Amino acid sequence: MLTKKQKIHLDYITKFIEKNGYAPSVEEIKKHFHLASKSTAHQQIATLTQKGYLIKENYKARGISIIQDAPLSPADTYTPFTPLSYEYSIGKERKVKDRFLKERFRGGTKNLNHSVEIKSSIQNLEKFINKIICGDSKKVLSEMPDNSVDIIITSPPYNFGLDYKSDNKNDTKKWIDYFNQLNEIWQECVRILKPGGRFCVNVQPLFSDYIPTHHLVSKQLLDLGLLWKGEIIWEKNNYNCKYTAWGSWKSPSMPYLKYSWEFIEVFCKETHKKTGEAKNIDITADEFKKWVYGKWSIAPERNMKKYEHPAMFPEELVARLLKLFSYKNDFVLDPFNGAGTTTAVAKKLSRRYLGIDMAPEYCKTAKDRLTETLF
Ligand SMILES: C[S@@+](CC[C@H](N)C(=O)[O-])C[C@H]1O[C@@H](n2cnc3c(N)ncnc32)[C@H](O)[C@@H]1O
């Protein structure tokens, strides 16, 4: 049940959104109710969120939305802070009582659905469609229109010290510079991604430097306002990685953990739901059932020598991401396109594409691959 005061606050927020199409900021709520401080306004928002009337996105200034179907306060039927009650037995799915009410209470991002997919044709996009562009992504992306890309699939350089062509820094930057430069490109990516668009980034931390790149890149993307959708473990089964690098051999002083997998962090913009026409879905039932389990065993790319690129991902990885997270005819971007795996698979699967890379040699390979038969 709402108190009289809470009801007044909820009415104000509801009417504000109806009138303006966006939510009031905390400052506006404070001013409207002549509150002594912003923290009182924050408190009111938190209470309404807890009671299941609002959803609050932490990273947005106007990130409040109304839960339309909240006729009863979940507080009427669900009292928080009682011990979790669930039935659990090995081999069975764990059943949580009042799961939906608890989800609402926690205020996650699952039900955010306040964005409208941009359907109108976007100006100045033609020159980017079905192209391989050689240049710095930061610059190329800055020329692209807002909200124009359906899905980004990419793998940035990992700062491991690999020999990329046209890289005078030898893939070795100070970590602070590396992350700052990535962030500038992410900013553009987020801007040009459509609401509902997906962002799949393949990253491998440099464990020997103890730099958790996958967590730090995820933090950057969350701070830029994207919603975390999930994480895929790409199991490469490459157990031949240096077995002699033990850290401290047979001693707890500094053992070095080894990994035969990489990560794909998946994000989306503003809402988890991506609309599209049923006729443009190309994933089969078997593929769907298999691939929604977030651990994918796929062998590393075997053609790196042939394509003269030191860090490619395999076509199978891109094909799964495209079929699971996008529709046919969607516009696919890879801002670190390398030898063109993303663009080649996008073309093969009837998506439109744009691949950008700094190295002219890789761009030539990417263009050549567009004419090859894949899989
Ligand atoms: C890990 S590789 C991507 C490989 C690609 N996934 C493939 O399968 O071929 C990263 C690529 O990013 C490119 N690169 C690095 N900085 C860039 C920038 N600022 N703009 C565009 N490309 C860049 C490098 O030349 C390199 O080819």
Side-chain angles (χ1 to χ4, degrees):
M1 281 262 281
L2 292 180
T3 63
K4 204 171 157 194
K5 198 163 145 199
Q6 288 159 359
K7 174 94 176 53
I8 292 171
H9 277 87
L10 181 63
D11 284 349
Y12 165 71
I13 294 171
T14 310
K15 283 189 184 132
F16 190 104
I17 294 176
E18 277 169 9
K19 185 170 165 222
N20 300 296
Y22 53 83
S25 65
V26 175
E27 181 62 35
E28 282 160 344
I29 297 174
K30 181 194 142 203
K31 263 200 191 145
H32 181 84
F33 290 106
H34 306 290
L35 301 173
S37 69
K38 279 211 256 182
S39 66
T40 320
H42 275 298
Q43 248 169 27
Q44 286 297 344
I45 296 167
T47 308
L48 290 170
T49 307
Q50 266 178 21
K51 291 197 166 186
Y53 286 86
L54 298 181
I55 291 176
K56 171 88 179 87
E57 284 173 82
N58 288 332
Y59 302 101
K60 290 193 170 170
R62 294 180 183 277
I64 303 172
S65 45
I66 303 283
I67 296 181
Q68 300 292 354
D69 56 345
L72 281 177
S73 161
D76 291 343
T77 48
Y78 166 59
T79 314
F81 311 124
T82 51
L84 273 185
S85 42
Y86 55 80
E87 297 150 22
Y88 180 68
S89 61
I90 291 169
K92 277 195 179 165
E93 195 190 349
R94 186 165 51 188
K95 296 258 184 290
V96 176
K97 273 192 193 152
D98 296 331
R99 182 190 291 272
F100 180 63
L101 292 173
K102 286 168 181 166
E103 277 175 2
R104 267 198 195 177
F105 173 79
R106 288 191 296 260
T109 64
K110 180 173 159 189
N111 295 313
L112 290 182
N113 200 13
H114 50 80
S115 290
V116 180
E117 176 130 3
I118 311 288
K119 286 238 185 312
S120 56
S121 70
I122 295 158
Q123 302 289 312
N124 302 325
L125 193 60
E126 275 316 303
K127 64 178 178 189
F128 296 101
I129 290 188
N130 296 341
K131 295 277 160 42
I132 304 292
I133 297 182
C134 187
D136 185 339
S137 268
K138 187 181 149 196
K139 177 158 188 313
V140 178
L141 297 175
S142 72
E143 290 158 14
M144 290 181 67
D146 296 355
N147 304 319
S148 52
V149 169
D150 289 284
I151 183 166
I152 297 172
I153 296 179
T154 198
S155 178
Y158 296 161
N159 211 29
F160 277 15
L162 298 184
D163 286 327
Y164 288 112
K165 295 187 169 145
S166 305
D167 174 13
N168 56 13
K169 298 269 192 286
N170 299 320
D171 192 34
T172 303
K173 295 175 180 152
K174 296 256 180 229
W175 284 109
I176 181 90
D177 296 334
Y178 170 78
F179 285 111
N180 283 341
Q181 283 165 26
L182 272 189
N183 206 41
E184 288 177 343
I185 292 177
W186 300 151
Q187 275 172 20
E188 289 300 325
C189 287
V190 171
R191 179 184 64 76
I192 62 173
L193 197 61
K194 283 183 189 173
R198 272 75 190 260
F199 193 134
C200 310
V201 57
N202 164 222
V203 264
Q204 167 80 314
L206 187 49
F207 295 106
S208 62
D209 273 20
Y210 296 96
I211 294 293
T213 311
H214 56 321
H215 293 306
L216 297 174
V217 164
S218 294
K219 171 83 168 63
Q220 289 183 319
L221 295 175
L222 287 171
D223 286 347
L224 288 170
L226 292 189
L227 310 174
W228 185 73
K229 185 152 192 68
E231 180 182 75
I232 294 160
I233 303 289
W234 167 25
E235 175 57 87
K236 301 189 291 183
N237 292 313
N238 59 342
Y239 291 101
N240 54 355
C241 48
K242 279 214 278 176
Y243 262 91
T244 46
W246 304 110
S248 58
W249 166 248
K250 210 173 153 306
S251 155
S253 87
M254 202 173 157
Y256 175 49
L257 297 176
K258 290 157 192 297
Y259 298 80
S260 59
W261 60 88
E262 298 196 13
F263 301 87
I264 293 113
E265 302 295 334
V266 184
F267 292 83
C268 43
K269 182 164 162 180
E270 296 186 22
T271 169
H272 289 278
K273 211 168 178 178
K274 178 161 179 33
T275 50
E277 291 184 51
K279 68 174 196 295
N280 287 330
I281 296 171
D282 56 357
I283 191 164
T284 66
D286 278 348
E287 288 170 340
F288 191 87
K289 275 191 277 180
K290 249 172 44 195
W291 299 346
V292 288
Y293 287 95
K295 184 176 169 195
W296 294 353
S297 280
I298 305 175
E301 174 57 49
R302 294 196 175 88
N303 287 316
M304 294 199 227
K305 225 175 179 171
K306 170 178 163 194
Y307 293 124
E308 297 184 48
H309 191 289
M312 296 169 63
F313 47 36
E315 289 165 11
E316 173 72 16
L317 187 81
V318 178
R320 290 189 190 193
L321 292 169
L322 281 177
K323 285 187 170 190
L324 192 56
F325 294 120
S326 75
Y327 298 84
K328 283 198 284 183
N329 202 39
D330 272 358
F331 185 32
V332 183
L333 164 72
D334 189 340
F336 298 103
N337 194 42
T341 312
T342 303
T343 43
V345 180
K347 182 176 179 210
K348 166 88 180 169
L349 294 179
S350 307
R351 270 75 171 166
R352 296 167 300 150
Y353 55 83
L354 167 64
I356 308 167
D357 203 281
M358 287 208 308
E361 299 89 335
Y362 301 148
C363 291
K364 177 170 182 325
T365 307
K367 279 184 190 162
D368 293 346
R369 280 179 84 191
L370 290 170
T371 58
E372 281 178 12
T373 313
L374 301 176
F375 307 123

